């Protein structure tokens, strides 16, 4: 028996695993899956709920990454357990990039695409939209290779860990580019709500960090435009002349470089540097996705109940994500405003606060981030392709080797206890 992971990265969710299997080759993965009755793949342990929980964990950390660039330099193929930070280092050797990164470069590719994890930008799809192909070990141990355009491909990418073990992914790449990051302090709620579309369109990637106080907070612009100097004031918010941390009051040394200085895409698009503890460490996270047409009304609804949750929030963040066609993506068919919460590590209090947030957002077609804390209910019913996804799961895992009670109840609406 190998070392058995006890908890997620933030130690806010504790696993039920009794064993952890660590194959050293793709063939060994197939053998393990074929002989298993129940198994869950564990990546960078950044989920905050039971989506990956189970009795037996499978770690792919011992497999080679074997990154390779396609002959036309438009795609990279890599072991699915590779982190985005390590992928960025490899791509830099070839002067290439991917279209976006999440707040943290520490997360694994397979885990990020499984949960539709995202960065920001009006025109940027979530990280799963870069997937052009995958290799998946299905319930009988066979390897399925799929490419964009194949039948059911759009159902396999945001896979929720329910279809098999993703061992390899192929991602679209673009020529390497530079980004400059500038932070603007003192953005008012009135300015944000009156100019939301203008603000989110003002850079390649845009975040608004808030403490849910009397002012909205700070505007973080990640720009690829090298033709002009960053503005001094944007809608009343003034450009900071010292580096900031996304969580107000924390030392900014772990945050990526700012102050309008251009640098490599992978050193600016995340909020946190690869070599440091991301975010705060001791935390719980929630995130909710709202169709852009409801964005202003949804923020106003949250402001009306902020006294019920603001005292628990270390930070909030507004980001935008472009629509896609991936069946179980919260952006399926909708551009979204995504509202993120970094909470203090008090699960009971956070659960209560999340209930208030979900009630306030309920008129706005809200969907939660699959890997973060939300109410335990049948979320899958809100996805119009759930029936197709259930059929796909039946074909790829008829024995339910990759399932668990959380998936059955939250995604498929089956009570297990």
């Amino acid at each position: 028996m190998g070392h058995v992971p006890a908890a997620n990265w933030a130690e806010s969710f504790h696993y039920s695993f009794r064993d952890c299997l660590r194959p050293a080759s793709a063939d060994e993965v197939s053998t393990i899956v074929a002989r298993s009755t129940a198994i869950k793949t564990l990546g960078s342990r950044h989920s905050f709920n039971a989506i990956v929980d189970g009795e037996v964990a499978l770690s792919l950390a011992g497999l080679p990454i074997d990154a390779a660039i396609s002959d036309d330099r438009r795609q990279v193929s890599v072991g699915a357990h590779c982190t985005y930070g390590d992928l960025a280092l490899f791509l830099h050797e070839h002067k290439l990039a991917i279209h976006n990164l999440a707040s943290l470069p520490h997360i694994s590719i397979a885990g990020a695409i499984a949960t539709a994890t995202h960065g920001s930008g009006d025109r940027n799809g979530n990280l799963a939209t870069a997937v052009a192909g995958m290799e998946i070990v299905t319930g009988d141990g066979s390897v399925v290779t799929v490419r964009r355009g194949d039948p059911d491909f759009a159902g396999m990418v945001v896979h929720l860990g329910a279809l098999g073990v993703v061992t390899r992914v192929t991602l679209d790449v673009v020529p390497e580019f530079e980004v400059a990051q500038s932070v603007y302090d003192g953005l008012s709620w009135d300015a944000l709500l009156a100019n939301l579309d203008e603000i989110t369109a003002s850079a390649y990637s845009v975040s608004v960090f808030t403490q849910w106080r009397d002012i909205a907070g700070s505007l973080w612009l990640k720009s690829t435009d090298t033709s002009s100097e960053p503005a001094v004031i944007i809608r009343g918010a003034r450009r900071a002349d010292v580096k900031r941390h996304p969580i107000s009051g924390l030392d900014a040394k772990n945050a990526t470089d700012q102050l309008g200085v251009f640098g490599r895409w992978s050193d600016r698009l995340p909020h946190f540097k690869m070599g440091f503890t991301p975010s705060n460490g001791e935390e719980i996270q929630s995130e909710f996705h709202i169709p852009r047409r409801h964005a202003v009304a949804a923020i106003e609804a949250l402001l009306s109940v902020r006294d019920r949750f603001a005292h628990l929030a270390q930070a909030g963040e507004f980001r935008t994500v472009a629509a896609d066609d991936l069946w179980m993506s919260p952006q399926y068919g909708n551009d979204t405003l995504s509202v993120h919460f970094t909470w203090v590590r008090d699960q009971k209090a956070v659960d209560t606060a999340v209930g208030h947030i979900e009630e306030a957002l309920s008129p706005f077609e809200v969907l939660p981030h699959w890997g973060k804390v939300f109410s335990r209910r049948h979320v899958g019913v809100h996805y119009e392709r759930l029936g197709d996804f259930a059929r796909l799961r039946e074909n790829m895992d008829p024995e339910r080797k990759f399932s668990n009670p959380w998936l059955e109840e939250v995604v498929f609406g089956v009570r297990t206890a």
Side-chain angles (χ1 to χ4, degrees):
M1 180 185 296
H3 169 69
V4 181
N8 69 343
W9 153 81
E11 297 187 356
S12 63
F13 182 87
H14 292 267
Y15 301 124
S16 304
F17 296 124
R18 297 178 291 101
D19 195 5
C20 182
L21 306 178
R22 303 175 186 275
S25 68
D27 287 344
E28 195 174 347
V29 174
S30 293
T31 300
I32 288 172
V33 170
R35 74 183 185 210
S36 297
T37 57
I39 196 161
K40 295 299 296 180
T41 311
L42 199 60
S44 50
R45 299 185 295 116
H46 198 70
S47 290
F48 291 80
N49 59 38
I51 189 170
V52 298
D53 199 21
E55 294 187 0
V56 179
L58 180 69
S59 170
L60 303 184
L63 270 63
I65 290 176
D66 282 343
I69 304 296
S70 63
D71 290 341
D72 62 6
R73 291 177 51 83
R74 292 183 179 180
Q75 294 177 342
V76 60
S77 175
V78 64
H81 59 292
C82 182
T83 67
Y84 282 95
D86 287 339
L87 174 63
L89 291 175
F90 172 78
L91 291 177
H92 176 59
E93 297 174 4
H94 299 269
K95 303 302 179 186
L96 295 170
I98 54 176
H99 79 288
N100 212 353
L101 290 171
S103 298
L104 309 178
H106 310 66
I107 57 177
S108 68
I109 298 171
I113 66 175
T115 55
T117 294
H118 59 92
S120 189
D122 283 1
R123 298 181 180 181
N124 296 326
N126 64 44
L127 300 186
T129 62
V131 176
M134 298 195 301
E135 293 181 7
I136 309 174
V137 178
T138 61
D140 63 1
S142 61
V143 179
V144 172
T145 300
V146 292
R147 299 283 302 179
R148 185 184 289 131
D150 289 348
D152 296 336
F153 174 81
M156 295 185 190
V157 182
V158 182
H159 54 86
L160 308 179
L163 304 181
V165 179
V166 178
T167 54
R168 195 162 185 83
V169 294
T170 300
L171 304 174
D172 295 332
V173 294
V174 296
E176 189 170 59
F177 56 98
E178 290 199 332
V179 174
Q181 182 171 211
S182 298
V183 176
Y184 293 80
D185 296 326
L187 182 68
S188 71
W189 287 113
D190 287 345
L192 175 64
L193 294 171
N195 305 284
L196 183 64
D197 289 343
E198 173 195 313
I199 287 170
T200 64
S202 60
Y204 184 83
S205 174
V206 176
S207 293
V208 175
F209 280 97
T210 182
Q211 306 297 130
W212 295 102
R213 295 172 182 160
D214 292 339
I215 64 168
S218 58
L219 173 61
W220 292 50
L221 302 185
K222 301 170 190 276
S223 176
T224 58
D225 181 8
T226 59
S227 64
S228 60
E229 290 291 318
V232 176
I233 297 177
I234 296 178
R235 291 298 176 182
R238 181 172 291 273
R239 185 156 62 96
D241 57 6
V242 294
K243 189 176 172 183
R244 302 295 194 208
H245 190 288
I247 298 177
S248 180
L250 294 188
D251 191 324
K253 67 179 182 180
N254 295 1
T256 49
D257 289 336
Q258 301 157 27
L259 306 180
V261 178
F262 276 90
R264 194 186 311 166
W265 64 283
S266 54
D267 292 337
R268 299 293 190 276
L269 289 178
H271 296 322
F272 300 99
K273 294 179 179 178
M274 184 65 182
F276 295 85
T277 300
S279 195
N280 182 34
E282 296 185 3
E283 64 192 56
I284 297 171
Q285 293 182 8
S286 298
E287 188 170 36
F288 298 95
H289 306 286
I290 302 111
R292 278 295 293 269
R293 59 186 173 273
H294 301 310
V296 171
I299 295 172
E300 291 174 337
L302 289 172
L303 289 174
S304 73
V305 297
R306 62 179 160 174
D307 60 324
R308 302 179 185 179
F309 65 78
H311 59 292
L312 299 171
Q314 299 185 53
E317 182 181 8
F318 302 108
R319 288 178 287 178
T320 57
V321 190
D324 60 54
D325 63 353
L326 305 176
W327 296 356
M328 301 306 289
S329 163
Q331 284 78 43
Y332 180 83
N334 278 311
D335 295 335
T336 65
L337 174 78
S338 297
V339 186
H340 171 91
F341 300 85
T342 297
W343 303 110
V344 298
R345 206 165 63 190
D346 182 340
Q347 190 69 57
K348 184 176 180 180
V350 167
D351 287 342
T352 299
V354 165
H356 293 309
I357 289 167
E358 290 178 334
E359 182 178 0
L361 294 177
S362 61
F364 307 114
E365 303 172 69
V366 61
L367 292 171
H369 188 298
W370 286 114
K372 299 182 181 181
V373 170
F374 57 93
S375 295
R376 189 180 176 89
R377 61 172 188 249
H378 183 196
V379 174
V381 71
H382 300 294
Y383 286 80
E384 63 180 89
R385 302 301 296 271
L386 176 64
D388 294 323
F389 187 68
R391 170 189 54 78
L392 185 58
R393 197 265 291 252
E394 184 64 34
N395 292 337
M396 298 181 71
D397 183 28
E399 298 178 11
R400 305 293 187 266
K401 291 184 178 185
F402 307 111
S403 192
N404 63 18
W406 189 95
L407 283 166
E408 292 301 324
E409 182 176 342
V410 174
V411 180
F412 299 104
V414 178
R415 291 278 182 177
T416 57

